[in-house]
Amino acid sequence: MEKFMKLTSMKPLLLLLCLLPLAFAGHDYGQALTKSILFFEAQRSGYLPHTQRVNWRGNSGLNDGKASGVDLVGGYYDAGDNVKFGLPMAFTITMMSWSIVEYGKQMASTGELGHAMDAIKWGTDYLIKAHPEPNVLYGEVGDGNTDHYCWQRPEDMTTDRRAYKVDPSNPGSDLAGETAAAMAAASMVFRHSNPAYSSELLRHAYQVSFHSFYNSYTLLFVGGKYDGSITVAQKYYRSVSGYNDELLWAAAWLYQASGNQYYLDYLGRNGDAMGGTGWGMTEFGWDVKYAGVQTLVAKFLMQGKAGHHAAVFERYQQKAEYFMCSCLGKGSRNVQKTPGGLIFRQRWNNMQFVTSASFLATVYSDYLASSGRNLRCSSGNVAPSQLLGLAKSQVDYILGDNPRATSYMVGYGNNYPRQVHHRASSIVSFKVNPSFVSCRGGYATWFSRKASDPNLLAGAIVGGPDAYDNFADERDNYEQTEPATYNNAPLLGILARLNGGHGGYNQLLPENVPAPNPVVRKPTPAPQPKTTPAPASSSGPIAIEQKMTTSWDAKGQKYYRYSTVVTNKSGKTLKDLKLSISKLYGPLWGLTKVGNVYGFPSWLNSLPAGKSMEFVYIHSTDPAAVSVSSYNLA
């Protein structure tokens, strides 16, 4: 993302009539999907794999993190620069994962599922490195100020590669929340094809979210925006919305990934206080997550999972539908659109809001269709198909159905941006000319060059036109010609959906991401959790079993997560259960404490015959002693 300012005179709006018949002849969404995934390979940092298809790129950033004593090699450059910004990178991974969670079947039919999963894993491998211990999370590598002073290929970088982190002294709830969301969402993607990796991602998501939501042991990440700790990010990715939206966003994804009732309760308890039910939004992106949270919670409501939080979840849904109606132009406050019909939010990289809004419209259309209901707008009820039609119109505009007949996806169609504001694509590949490109020399030789880029940045979605559909294909017009990973990420799901259709899928059923086709190797069997001998014993008709499900080290201290399952073995309904728990030294979720004993959680009044319930806790020693204090059978 560029921040140096230059006034750009916009070229007159030209109606390229000779290209109109081709532009409006229909689009190859499968080809667009292939290209949009390919863009992520051009954004890779680190050691490139042997499967790298964008062959004009090379290894870069190979010493990232070294000065801080940590390996931060890998990940993605966010846009046309060479900085790795943690907040937009994590959001990118979340949105790529959501695309697969919803439309993995359609993506598999195109043969692109494996490439999409590789793109996610390239990001999550880095996020795992960026979280080297539970109370440390690295949120940036490189400095935007020094990076933007130079115009160099990533392979030639001479700029500062300092690493910046949040830790107990430098909180960052928003960065932690988005990172937890990304890891949780990605864990769903790999659940069947790579269960061990999926478990590792979920473990990191739990650890990061633990420090986001609680301050039982440390103040890490609690009560602070990340850009107050990583101040070098303020000019580029300032957290204007604060961190409440990211905490709700993380809770929604952790619930989807784990089924842990705690996170659903978190959404129910905090929806009003943290803005989830209060903010009626007309934008969704790397900074503002409320519309995304509201869409997911509306899904939970339609799935029948709200329980006693139904009233709160209905308020989330009202705000989700406020967003949808606004995008359709059928609400009480509608989004602005260009004369050509493109959603317009701001002159700088407007396409990020177009693709994100279009994705929410796509999934919500399918949620509504699956539940058999319509969208409720102030102008009246709207069929779900109109939401999908909106998303299609936005994608078609991006691909060329617009007044300029310009494709804003590089390499798609005949008329697309040729002077992209992107260091790597605008400078000859080092494989063609290995001569070193100096910091300022790159500006003199390559940035100011009035010719097409020597390297095709295939699939990149650039910033796009202004409010009047005008666009100037000039490298120094960074507001319009710079691409970004978070522009492309939501587009993966929409393109897969438009290309593959719906096929009668019920979007409210449990997600089941197919294995990529072809399957290169058999999935690694999931490690079985260690069963710890339970200090509790069965009490007549009630059986109690404890297991240690994961563990981690933090500053020389080992922590354990224990799962405890209580089963009603009787033939009657179990009521008024009271459990005595001693030797508990950490937080517990899934029970309600009443005095010195624990009872059913707030969402459960009784346990039918043969059924079980689970609660979990974390501490740094052997399992707690759990026993039955009292109960009734009816």
Side-chain angles (χ1 to χ4, degrees), residues 472-541:
D473 184 13
E474 299 168 353
R475 193 169 293 112
D476 60 356
N477 179 20
Y478 56 88
E479 290 185 342
Q480 295 190 325
T481 63
E482 185 174 19
T485 55
Y486 43 88
N487 295 7
N488 277 62
L491 200 58
L492 303 191
I494 313 171
L495 290 170
R497 171 66 171 86
L498 293 176
N499 183 70
H502 194 263
Y505 301 130
N506 186 332
Q507 225 66 26
L508 299 178
L509 292 177
E511 299 82 4
N512 183 17
V513 176
N517 186 29
V519 178
V520 178
R521 59 187 181 277
K522 293 182 179 180
T524 304
Q528 296 300 311
K530 174 184 175 182
T531 301
T532 305
S537 59
S538 296
S539 176

Side-chain angles (χ1 to χ4, degrees), residues 61-260:
L62 303 184
N63 292 316
D64 285 356
K66 187 174 182 179
S68 301
V70 62
D71 176 10
L72 295 176
V73 176
Y76 288 112
Y77 303 119
D78 73 301
D81 51 24
N82 298 327
V83 184
K84 295 190 295 200
F85 292 99
L87 184 60
M89 191 192 306
F91 176 72
T92 294
I93 295 166
T94 306
M95 294 308 296
M96 283 197 289
S97 299
W98 196 358
S99 291
I100 291 179
V101 165
E102 299 289 354
Y103 302 115
K105 296 180 180 69
Q106 290 94 328
M107 214 172 286
S109 68
T110 68
E112 290 297 331
L113 179 59
H115 290 137
M117 291 172 71
D118 287 345
I120 292 172
K121 192 171 186 297
W122 191 267
T124 51
D125 283 351
Y126 173 80
L127 292 185
I128 290 172
K129 290 182 176 183
H131 184 228
E133 52 186 292
N135 60 347
V136 172
L137 179 63
Y138 283 86
E140 183 171 332
V141 177
D143 170 22
N145 294 332
T146 58
D147 182 89
H148 290 181
Y149 182 75
C150 299
W151 193 264
Q152 291 177 291
R153 298 176 295 210
E155 296 83 2
D156 290 327
M157 277 190 294
T158 57
T159 52
D160 182 12
R161 300 300 290 174
R162 193 177 314 170
Y164 301 87
K165 65 182 178 180
V166 290
D167 60 24
S169 302
N170 305 282
S173 299
D174 34 19
L175 176 65
E178 183 59 70
T179 302
M183 289 177 161
S187 76
M188 300 174 68
V189 171
F190 296 101
R191 180 171 294 159
H192 299 292
S193 62
N194 193 343
Y197 188 66
S198 173
S199 297
E200 182 181 12
L201 288 171
L202 196 54
R203 176 174 63 85
H204 279 277
Y206 277 138
Q207 290 177 6
V208 175
S209 69
F210 175 78
H211 294 299
S212 299
F213 297 140
Y214 312 109
N215 58 358
S216 300
Y217 299 104
T218 172
L219 293 178
L220 175 65
F221 307 143
V222 174
K225 296 196 302 176
Y226 92 107
D227 59 12
S229 299
I230 305 178
T231 56
V232 293
Q234 290 181 1
K235 285 178 61 179
Y236 306 96
Y237 290 102
R238 190 180 192 91
S239 181
V240 177
S241 71
Y243 53 81
N244 282 340
D245 53 335
E246 276 85 9
L247 296 185
L248 294 172
W249 179 241
W253 278 111
L254 280 157
Y255 173 69
Q256 279 219 116
S258 68
N260 189 327

Side-chain angles (χ1 to χ4, degrees), residues 246-389:
E246 276 85 9
L247 296 185
L248 294 172
W249 179 241
W253 278 111
L254 280 157
Y255 173 69
Q256 279 219 116
S258 68
N260 189 327
Q261 184 73 29
Y262 169 79
Y263 297 107
L264 195 74
D265 288 341
Y266 186 92
L267 292 164
R269 290 194 309 269
N270 297 289
D272 293 335
M274 295 174 65
T277 63
W279 285 105
M281 305 304 302
T282 57
E283 72 171 275
F284 170 58
W286 61 262
D287 179 33
V288 186
K289 313 293 166 47
Y290 283 113
V293 174
Q294 291 154 358
T295 300
L296 283 174
V297 174
K299 177 184 182 181
F300 302 156
L301 180 66
M302 285 185 269
Q303 288 175 317
K305 297 179 177 179
H308 71 282
H309 298 301
V312 178
F313 281 20
E314 286 172 1
R315 293 197 289 276
Y316 276 103
Q317 185 178 40
Q318 289 168 6
K319 290 302 186 288
E321 300 203 344
Y322 178 95
F323 176 86
M324 306 300 165
C325 297
S326 297
C327 291
L328 281 170
K330 297 179 179 293
S332 58
R333 182 168 68 97
N334 298 322
V335 300
Q336 179 183 349
K337 291 181 181 175
T338 69
L342 185 72
I343 292 172
F344 188 82
R345 178 74 188 177
Q346 66 182 35
R347 56 185 287 184
W348 187 313
N349 189 18
N350 180 64
M351 283 302 185
Q352 63 179 302
F353 302 109
V354 176
T355 59
S356 293
S358 298
F359 181 86
L360 292 188
T362 300
V363 296
Y364 201 71
S365 169
D366 287 338
Y367 296 162
L368 289 173
S370 296
S371 67
R373 57 177 296 270
N374 290 325
L375 174 66
R376 297 163 296 193
C377 294
S378 58
S379 63
N381 287 345
V382 177
S385 59
Q386 291 192 41
L387 272 177
L388 185 62

